[in-house]
Amino acid sequence: MKSPAGLLLSAIELDRASTIPLYRQLYLQIRKQILSGKMQGGVRLPSTRTLSQELALSRITILNAFDQLIAEGFLASRTGAGTYVGNEWERRGTADEEQQRQPPRLSDLSQSMLSLRSRHFRGVSYTDWDPATPTSFLPSHSSYDAFPLAVWRRLMNRHLLKPTKAMLGYGELQGLQALRVAIAEYVFDARGIDCSAEQVVIVSGAQQAFNLLGMLLLNPQDSVWMEDPGHIAARIALQAQGAQVIPLRIDEQGIDLRQGLAECPDARLVFTTPSRQHPLGVTMSYARRQALIDWAAQYQSWIIEDDCDSEFRYSGRLLPALYAMDRMARVIYVGTFSKVLFPSLRLGYVILPQALIEPFCTLRAVMDRSPPTLLQATTADFMREGHFLGHIRRMRALYQARQQALVEQLQRQLGGFFNITPVDAGMHLIAWLPPTLDDDAIARELARHNIHTYALSDYCLEHALPPALLIGFAGTPESQAQERVEALARALSQMGYLQQAT
Ligand SMILES: Cc1ncc(COP(=O)(O)O)c(C=O)c1O
């Protein structure tokens, strides 16, 4: 008669053609039987000699499997008494019980198990677009094909080949001094901002700045003016701090200050995109800028100026940053390298009024540390050695040409369906749809055809606008504009929309 363990072991099936070594197959199968409870603690195993005969394996193979099982506590061996199933794993239960002990999935959790603030993040999509998809018109994606990778690699290697201690350590909390100096010089020339490197703090992208600023400046229930339509991720970051959002409509001069003054004059903070209103593209007028600063000074409110892609202006006047007009130290400027270099770099910067430097840095030390020094040093060299401005100039010309090519194709192929507004600045245009259509449904259906756009209504809170799609042009080479718009037209036709339009 075989022992219980012997019976089970004779059920072991080895695949001699497999690339998994035989000792490992044996190890895995014995372990599985112990974990599932089929081999109970204390049960004695047949001798290695018997097993070697039954399983037609060398004793070395069996000893190798046993050694690992003994090391992990699945088996125990006593000199002269043989090898036993260890007791440590005895009460592990059956496979079914194991299954029941799986941690619950998030969908099984009730909201009460999560913090109140977590409800703001529900429904936020974190899946990214696949860069291999050729028909994506997502607005925030730039021209990765035109990035000067050879230069970047050379600059990065310079630091990699001679790493300093600073390169491997935590780095300066405010960010690398060389990068802060380069940014202070750049914003002075390009945006009229007169600040010292001490006022510049490097962050992991603008989004981190919005979260940190919300944490630093807002109390629960504080009112915040937000542009409507406006930047979704920034709104959620501020709402997550318990802020009450007051959505202000956009007119031809930018955010409607009169509405804010009428509804909630003492808002604690306003979030705005003056150089290119996101997503509509309006430039905030000079008068509106002055009025906003005067209001902030009167109520001691803060202005967060998101200036994410002011580099890409093709026509019209680029006004200096709001920060540059502020004599009352109410404006906090947020810039990013996501658009002008590439988003996975995760480098952005905040330019702070003097009084906020120390509290902002203290908070940053708690939430995170400075971004990778290697990337900051490479970016600093890229700026200092003239590549940055050259890259911006080239990208500006490239994006302008790309917008023109895409607009031509959209008008030629889909002119009866879309009403296109080319833009003076930024990386996306607005394609207005026939007024009865649902832009959100269309964007979702297009995504199922592997064509990615955003619906304008997703950006709107209270002030509904006619339906439209945001169509990014920066990622579409001129030579591919025709075929990509053909794919878009084909999808719309299959979805039955083009018949409705004609
Ligand atoms: C309006 C706006 N601001 C800022 C950002 C930049 O975010 P980050 O620097 O975190 O990549 C984006 C990114 O898409 C944006 O659309």
Side-chain angles (χ1 to χ4, degrees):
M1 266 281 278
K2 281 187 170 149
S3 68
L7 271 174
L8 287 162
L9 287 176
S10 60
I12 280 176
E13 284 182 12
L14 300 167
D15 177 1
R16 285 163 207 275
S18 163
T19 51
I20 303 173
L22 288 167
Y23 91 89
R24 177 125 185 109
Q25 293 188 40
L26 186 60
Y27 156 81
L28 288 171
Q29 293 195 33
I30 296 177
R31 194 180 81 145
K32 190 170 171 195
Q33 299 208 21
I34 297 172
L35 280 175
S36 68
K38 286 184 187 145
M39 265 197 209
Q40 302 280 320
V43 165
R44 184 173 167 197
L45 271 79
S47 69
T48 50
R49 187 189 307 275
T50 313
L51 281 172
S52 141
Q53 280 163 6
E54 279 203 28
L55 301 173
L57 290 174
S58 75
R59 282 183 71 194
I60 295 288
T61 304
I62 292 165
L63 283 171
N64 278 343
F66 276 22
D67 279 352
Q68 190 165 346
L69 289 160
I70 289 169
E72 292 174 6
F74 288 100
L75 299 180
S77 106
R78 269 174 261 142
T79 341
T83 308
Y84 292 82
V85 176
N87 286 318
E88 270 182 54
W89 301 91
E90 202 179 1
R91 281 182 293 280
R92 282 244 136 193
T94 63
D96 284 352
E97 286 169 0
E98 266 302 294
Q99 196 71 35
Q100 285 164 14
R101 264 191 249 130
Q102 293 295 315
R105 285 167 303 145
L106 191 62
S107 55
D108 299 334
L109 292 173
S110 74
Q111 179 64 46
S112 63
M113 295 179 76
L114 303 174
S115 72
L116 281 178
R117 86 172 39 160
S118 76
R119 72 183 185 279
H120 296 292
F121 310 130
R122 285 201 151 182
V124 172
S125 157
Y126 56 85
T127 48
D128 196 14
W129 153 85
D130 172 8
T133 310
T135 42
S136 178
F137 296 111
L138 286 190
S140 47
H141 290 277
S142 51
S143 152
Y144 306 127
D145 48 327
F147 187 74
L149 269 178
V151 174
W152 188 262
R153 197 179 304 122
R154 179 166 56 76
L155 299 179
M156 202 164 193
N157 277 343
R158 182 190 289 171
H159 296 286
L160 271 176
L161 294 175
K162 272 201 242 149
T164 57
K165 275 191 198 153
M167 203 58 64
L168 301 180
Y170 275 112
E172 293 164 66
L173 187 62
Q174 253 188 275
L176 192 72
Q177 167 83 6
L179 181 58
R180 289 187 286 116
V181 170
I183 290 171
E185 278 171 17
Y186 167 67
V187 294
F188 181 74
D189 293 342
R191 309 299 294 118
I193 294 176
D194 189 2
C195 69
S196 66
E198 194 209 346
Q199 287 171 274
V200 180
V201 182
I202 311 295
V203 283
S204 305
Q207 187 60 23
Q208 188 187 43
F210 305 148
N211 278 289
L212 293 175
L213 289 169
M215 244 175 253
L216 188 68
L217 304 175
L218 295 176
N219 290 313
Q221 306 306 322
D222 276 350
S223 298
V224 170
W225 290 354
M226 294 291 307
E227 296 175 336
D228 180 17
H231 185 30
I232 301 170
R235 169 179 48 84
I236 295 174
L238 301 179
Q239 272 176 323
Q241 297 307 321
Q244 296 295 322
V245 165
I246 315 286
L248 301 189
R249 74 177 81 80
I250 306 298
D251 64 20
E252 67 292 343
Q253 293 195 58
I255 192 167
D256 188 349
L257 193 70
R258 279 159 313 172
Q259 189 202 337
L261 290 173
E263 287 181 19
C264 178
D266 59 349
R268 175 113 174 117
L269 186 150
V270 58
F271 178 90
T272 182
T273 47
S275 69
R276 179 199 58 83
Q277 200 280 326
H278 186 71
L280 291 179
V282 178
T283 305
M284 191 186 286
S285 68
Y286 186 84
R288 190 67 55 87
R289 288 166 192 245
Q290 196 54 61
L292 202 59
I293 292 171
D294 291 346
W295 161 78
Q298 183 184 350
Y299 286 92
Q300 293 294 289
S301 306
W302 296 107
I303 302 175
I304 299 182
E305 175 178 26
D306 174 13
D307 201 33
C308 75
D309 56 7
S310 57
E311 288 82 5
F312 301 132
R313 171 156 292 275
Y314 316 109
S315 54
R317 212 154 63 91
L318 174 63
L319 294 179
L322 201 58
Y323 188 103
M325 292 174 61
D326 176 22
R327 298 283 163 267
M328 310 305 288
R330 305 314 305 169
V331 180
I332 301 155
Y333 179 93
V334 180
T336 179
F337 291 105
S338 287
K339 305 290 171 92
V340 82
L341 296 181
F342 52 96
S344 78
L345 186 59
R346 303 313 304 140
L347 285 183
Y349 46 97
V350 187
I351 302 178
L352 294 161
Q354 209 72 38
L356 289 183
I357 300 172
E358 200 270 331
F360 187 89
C361 291
T362 316
L363 175 64
R364 196 184 196 305
V366 176
M367 301 310 297
D368 191 13
R369 304 281 164 166
S370 179
T373 309
L374 175 64
L375 294 177
Q376 295 188 65
T378 308
T379 308
D381 287 356
F382 195 78
M383 294 180 87
R384 280 192 309 206
E385 295 175 24
H387 307 293
F388 188 64
L389 293 181
H391 180 60
I392 293 173
R393 263 196 309 277
R394 277 191 301 279
M395 290 305 98
R396 197 182 292 134
L398 187 75
Y399 291 171
Q400 188 168 15
R402 286 186 173 187
Q403 169 169 219
Q404 203 178 333
L406 200 63
V407 167
E408 268 168 31
Q409 287 300 328
L410 285 166
Q411 269 160 355
R412 195 168 65 73
Q413 298 188 45
L414 287 163
F417 182 64
F418 287 133
N419 183 4
I420 307 285
T421 317
V423 286
D424 292 342
M427 292 155 74
H428 68 264
L429 46 88
I430 300 208
W432 299 98
L433 291 160
T436 52
L437 296 186
D438 175 348
D439 55 9
D440 190 43
I442 293 181
R444 271 188 281 120
E445 264 185 272
L446 280 173
R448 283 197 284 276
H449 285 77
N450 233 345
I451 293 175
H452 300 276
T453 60
Y454 286 137
L456 178 60
S457 59
D458 284 355
Y459 296 78
C460 297
L461 290 172
E462 272 176 12
H463 301 98
L465 288 167
L469 296 179
L470 269 60
I471 299 204
F473 49 80
T476 300
E478 288 160 78
S479 60
Q480 288 174 28
Q482 180 174 345
E483 68 184 86
R484 291 193 186 186
V485 175
E486 276 166 8
L488 172 62
R490 221 172 14 252
L492 286 168
S493 168
Q494 283 165 10
M495 287 153 53
Y497 287 111
L498 296 190
Q499 290 86 322
Q500 287 176 24
T502 47

